[in-house]
Amino acid sequence: MGASKTDFFSSDQNELAAIAKALGHPARIAIIQHLLKVNSCVCNSIVDELPLAQPTVSQHLRELKQAGLIQGTVEGNSICYCINGETWNKFGELFKTLFASYKQITKCC
Amino acid sequence: MGASKTDFFSSDQNELAAIAKALGHPARIAIIQHLLKVNSCVCNSIVDELPLAQPTVSQHLRELKQAGLIQGTVEGNSICYCINGETWNKFGELFKTLFASYKQITKCC
DNA sequence: TTTTAATATTGCAATATTACGATGAAGATC
DNA sequence: GATCTTCATCGTAATATTGCAATATTAAAA
C-alpha cells in the first residue's frame, strides 16, 4: 500500500496529522525556525541556510506552504517567505489543546 | 534518495521533527486522542477503535512508542498502553515554545 | 536583447512508509 | 496438554518521500 486511509479518519484528525507531517522533517523545522528567528519576510537565500540543494529546499518550502504554515509572495525576481500568522496561531492552538488534554493518572500499569 | 540527511541538522531540530513525524498520521493521532480521552491505560482492543488491521495498528503503536509518546506494559497476555506522561509534557513544551516564538510582524510582503 | 539571478518544475534513483495476510510467541482458559 | 486470545514480527506489495541534476521560468540588470 503506502497510502494512508485518510477517508476513515475525521477531518480533525487528518488536519492535525497533516500539520504534524509537514513539520516532520528536520529541514522543514530548520526553515520554520529560521523564519521565526529573523521575524520578517525572508526574500532570498533560504537555500544558503540549509545543507541541501536548491530544488530540495524548494520542495520543502512547497510542502510547508501547502500545509498552510508559511506563505510566499513574489517580490521582483525573488520570493519572500514568512510564517503565515493566521494559520500558525490556529495550528498552535490545536497542538496546545492536544498536549494540554493530558491529565496525569495516578494508577497506571 | 529517500533518506533524510539528519546528520546535517541539530539534535534539537531532529528531535522536534521526529515527534512531529510520529504524530504525522491520522491513525496515530486517533490512537493518541483515544488514550487522552479514556485517561488511563488501555489494556486491549485499541485495534477495535481503528479502521485498520491488527498488524498495521501494532506498527503504528510501535512508532509512537519509539518516539517516546506512549508506553506499553505487559499485563498478562495483553499489553496496556498509555501516554508517557513525562515525555508527553516535555514534548508539549517543545511545541509550545516553537509556536509561541512567533511574533506578529507589522510589515510583511 | 543578452545575460544574470532566483526560484520552480521535471525526471529519476534510493529509500521509507503504509497496509495486510500469514505466522509466531506467550499467557490464559478449558 | 490442547486451545484460545492477544499482540508482535515477517514478508511483500503499493505508494510516498527525499534528494539532486538538468532544465524551465521569470524578472531584473547590463
PDB file of all heavy atoms in Angstrom, chain B residues 69-85:
ATOM      1  N   LEU B  69       6.223   8.798  22.831  1.00  0.00           N
ATOM      2  CA  LEU B  69       4.927   9.404  23.134  1.00  0.00           C
ATOM      3  C   LEU B  69       4.062   8.511  24.012  1.00  0.00           C
ATOM      4  O   LEU B  69       3.270   9.005  24.808  1.00  0.00           O
ATOM      5  CB  LEU B  69       4.190   9.736  21.837  1.00  0.00           C
ATOM      6  CG  LEU B  69       4.792  10.891  21.034  1.00  0.00           C
ATOM      7  CD1 LEU B  69       4.337  10.847  19.582  1.00  0.00           C
ATOM      8  CD2 LEU B  69       4.393  12.224  21.645  1.00  0.00           C
ATOM      9  N   ILE B  70       4.186   7.210  23.846  1.00  0.00           N
ATOM     10  CA  ILE B  70       3.381   6.284  24.653  1.00  0.00           C
ATOM     11  C   ILE B  70       4.293   5.217  25.257  1.00  0.00           C
ATOM     12  O   ILE B  70       5.456   5.082  24.862  1.00  0.00           O
ATOM     13  CB  ILE B  70       2.271   5.594  23.828  1.00  0.00           C
ATOM     14  CG1 ILE B  70       2.879   4.682  22.760  1.00  0.00           C
ATOM     15  CG2 ILE B  70       1.364   6.625  23.200  1.00  0.00           C
ATOM     16  CD1 ILE B  70       1.853   3.832  22.033  1.00  0.00           C
ATOM     17  N   GLN B  71       3.728   4.469  26.175  1.00  0.00           N
ATOM     18  CA  GLN B  71       4.464   3.345  26.737  1.00  0.00           C
ATOM     19  C   GLN B  71       3.535   2.149  26.843  1.00  0.00           C
ATOM     20  O   GLN B  71       2.328   2.302  27.010  1.00  0.00           O
ATOM     21  CB  GLN B  71       5.060   3.692  28.098  1.00  0.00           C
ATOM     22  CG  GLN B  71       4.036   3.989  29.165  1.00  0.00           C
ATOM     23  CD  GLN B  71       4.677   4.632  30.384  1.00  0.00           C
ATOM     24  OE1 GLN B  71       4.023   5.336  31.139  1.00  0.00           O
ATOM     25  NE2 GLN B  71       5.959   4.396  30.566  1.00  0.00           N
ATOM     26  N   GLY B  72       4.094   0.978  26.734  1.00  0.00           N
ATOM     27  CA  GLY B  72       3.285  -0.236  26.807  1.00  0.00           C
ATOM     28  C   GLY B  72       3.829  -1.160  27.871  1.00  0.00           C
ATOM     29  O   GLY B  72       5.039  -1.332  27.972  1.00  0.00           O
ATOM     30  N   THR B  73       2.922  -1.696  28.662  1.00  0.00           N
ATOM     31  CA  THR B  73       3.338  -2.614  29.718  1.00  0.00           C
ATOM     32  C   THR B  73       2.627  -3.943  29.556  1.00  0.00           C
ATOM     33  O   THR B  73       1.410  -3.973  29.354  1.00  0.00           O
ATOM     34  CB  THR B  73       2.977  -2.032  31.105  1.00  0.00           C
ATOM     35  OG1 THR B  73       3.319  -0.648  31.120  1.00  0.00           O
ATOM     36  CG2 THR B  73       3.704  -2.760  32.201  1.00  0.00           C
ATOM     37  N   VAL B  74       3.393  -5.006  29.641  1.00  0.00           N
ATOM     38  CA  VAL B  74       2.797  -6.329  29.521  1.00  0.00           C
ATOM     39  C   VAL B  74       1.957  -6.604  30.761  1.00  0.00           C
ATOM     40  O   VAL B  74       2.420  -6.420  31.886  1.00  0.00           O
ATOM     41  CB  VAL B  74       3.891  -7.413  29.373  1.00  0.00           C
ATOM     42  CG1 VAL B  74       3.264  -8.796  29.308  1.00  0.00           C
ATOM     43  CG2 VAL B  74       4.723  -7.146  28.128  1.00  0.00           C
ATOM     44  N   GLU B  75       0.738  -7.018  30.537  1.00  0.00           N
ATOM     45  CA  GLU B  75      -0.193  -7.290  31.638  1.00  0.00           C
ATOM     46  C   GLU B  75      -0.921  -8.580  31.280  1.00  0.00           C
ATOM     47  O   GLU B  75      -1.897  -8.556  30.528  1.00  0.00           O
ATOM     48  CB  GLU B  75      -1.171  -6.106  31.764  1.00  0.00           C
ATOM     49  CG  GLU B  75      -1.978  -6.060  33.041  1.00  0.00           C
ATOM     50  CD  GLU B  75      -1.159  -5.424  34.179  1.00  0.00           C
ATOM     51  OE1 GLU B  75      -0.045  -4.917  33.906  1.00  0.00           O
ATOM     52  OE2 GLU B  75      -1.644  -5.431  35.307  1.00  0.00           O
ATOM     53  N   GLY B  76      -0.422  -9.671  31.794  1.00  0.00           N
ATOM     54  CA  GLY B  76      -0.992 -10.959  31.414  1.00  0.00           C
ATOM     55  C   GLY B  76      -0.702 -11.216  29.946  1.00  0.00           C
ATOM     56  O   GLY B  76       0.422 -11.024  29.505  1.00  0.00           O
ATOM     57  N   ASN B  77      -1.689 -11.617  29.198  1.00  0.00           N
ATOM     58  CA  ASN B  77      -1.423 -11.840  27.783  1.00  0.00           C
ATOM     59  C   ASN B  77      -1.843 -10.655  26.925  1.00  0.00           C
ATOM     60  O   ASN B  77      -1.880 -10.739  25.709  1.00  0.00           O
ATOM     61  CB  ASN B  77      -2.057 -13.140  27.287  1.00  0.00           C
ATOM     62  CG  ASN B  77      -3.550 -13.033  27.103  1.00  0.00           C
ATOM     63  OD1 ASN B  77      -4.155 -12.088  27.569  1.00  0.00           O
ATOM     64  ND2 ASN B  77      -4.134 -13.986  26.437  1.00  0.00           N
ATOM     65  N   SER B  78      -2.168  -9.549  27.560  1.00  0.00           N
ATOM     66  CA  SER B  78      -2.442  -8.344  26.773  1.00  0.00           C
ATOM     67  C   SER B  78      -1.415  -7.280  27.150  1.00  0.00           C
ATOM     68  O   SER B  78      -0.634  -7.455  28.079  1.00  0.00           O
ATOM     69  CB  SER B  78      -3.867  -7.850  26.995  1.00  0.00           C
ATOM     70  OG  SER B  78      -3.992  -7.298  28.267  1.00  0.00           O
ATOM     71  N   ILE B  79      -1.416  -6.182  26.406  1.00  0.00           N
ATOM     72  CA  ILE B  79      -0.460  -5.112  26.679  1.00  0.00           C
ATOM     73  C   ILE B  79      -1.201  -3.815  26.922  1.00  0.00           C
ATOM     74  O   ILE B  79      -2.108  -3.459  26.163  1.00  0.00           O
ATOM     75  CB  ILE B  79       0.532  -4.962  25.511  1.00  0.00           C
ATOM     76  CG1 ILE B  79       1.395  -6.226  25.425  1.00  0.00           C
ATOM     77  CG2 ILE B  79       1.404  -3.737  25.708  1.00  0.00           C
ATOM     78  CD1 ILE B  79       2.485  -6.163  24.408  1.00  0.00           C
ATOM     79  N   CYS B  80      -0.836  -3.152  28.002  1.00  0.00           N
ATOM     80  CA  CYS B  80      -1.522  -1.920  28.368  1.00  0.00           C
ATOM     81  C   CYS B  80      -0.752  -0.722  27.855  1.00  0.00           C
ATOM     82  O   CYS B  80       0.417  -0.554  28.198  1.00  0.00           O
ATOM     83  CB  CYS B  80      -1.649  -1.833  29.884  1.00  0.00           C
ATOM     84  SG  CYS B  80      -2.618  -3.184  30.553  1.00  0.00           S
ATOM     85  N   TYR B  81      -1.422   0.092  27.078  1.00  0.00           N
ATOM     86  CA  TYR B  81      -0.782   1.278  26.537  1.00  0.00           C
ATOM     87  C   TYR B  81      -1.315   2.519  27.219  1.00  0.00           C
ATOM     88  O   TYR B  81      -2.512   2.607  27.537  1.00  0.00           O
ATOM     89  CB  TYR B  81      -1.049   1.384  25.032  1.00  0.00           C
ATOM     90  CG  TYR B  81      -0.179   0.465  24.222  1.00  0.00           C
ATOM     91  CD1 TYR B  81      -0.707  -0.704  23.670  1.00  0.00           C
ATOM     92  CD2 TYR B  81       1.158   0.751  24.006  1.00  0.00           C
ATOM     93  CE1 TYR B  81       0.089  -1.558  22.925  1.00  0.00           C
ATOM     94  CE2 TYR B  81       1.963  -0.099  23.260  1.00  0.00           C
ATOM     95  CZ  TYR B  81       1.421  -1.247  22.721  1.00  0.00           C
ATOM     96  OH  TYR B  81       2.210  -2.088  21.985  1.00  0.00           O
ATOM     97  N   CYS B  82      -0.422   3.479  27.420  1.00  0.00           N
ATOM     98  CA  CYS B  82      -0.876   4.782  27.886  1.00  0.00           C
ATOM     99  C   CYS B  82       0.127   5.843  27.461  1.00  0.00           C
ATOM    100  O   CYS B  82       1.246   5.525  27.035  1.00  0.00           O
ATOM    101  CB  CYS B  82      -1.081   4.796  29.400  1.00  0.00           C
ATOM    102  SG  CYS B  82       0.393   4.409  30.330  1.00  0.00           S
ATOM    103  N   ILE B  83      -0.300   7.083  27.554  1.00  0.00           N
ATOM    104  CA  ILE B  83       0.578   8.209  27.264  1.00  0.00           C
ATOM    105  C   ILE B  83       1.766   8.167  28.215  1.00  0.00           C
ATOM    106  O   ILE B  83       1.593   7.892  29.395  1.00  0.00           O
ATOM    107  CB  ILE B  83      -0.185   9.542  27.484  1.00  0.00           C
ATOM    108  CG1 ILE B  83      -1.423   9.630  26.575  1.00  0.00           C
ATOM    109  CG2 ILE B  83       0.730  10.736  27.295  1.00  0.00           C
ATOM    110  CD1 ILE B  83      -1.135   9.901  25.134  1.00  0.00           C
ATOM    111  N   ASN B  84       2.943   8.439  27.697  1.00  0.00           N
ATOM    112  CA  ASN B  84       4.126   8.557  28.551  1.00  0.00           C
ATOM    113  C   ASN B  84       4.155   9.986  29.091  1.00  0.00           C
ATOM    114  O   ASN B  84       4.611  10.910  28.425  1.00  0.00           O
ATOM    115  CB  ASN B  84       5.380   8.260  27.732  1.00  0.00           C
ATOM    116  CG  ASN B  84       6.636   8.281  28.572  1.00  0.00           C
ATOM    117  OD1 ASN B  84       6.686   8.938  29.606  1.00  0.00           O
ATOM    118  ND2 ASN B  84       7.631   7.553  28.145  1.00  0.00           N
ATOM    119  N   GLY B  85       3.611  10.135  30.297  1.00  0.00           N
ATOM    120  CA  GLY B  85       3.409  11.466  30.873  1.00  0.00           C
ATOM    121  C   GLY B  85       4.625  12.368  30.842  1.00  0.00           C
ATOM    122  O   GLY B  85       4.536  13.537  30.477  1.00  0.00           O
TER     123      GLY B  85
END
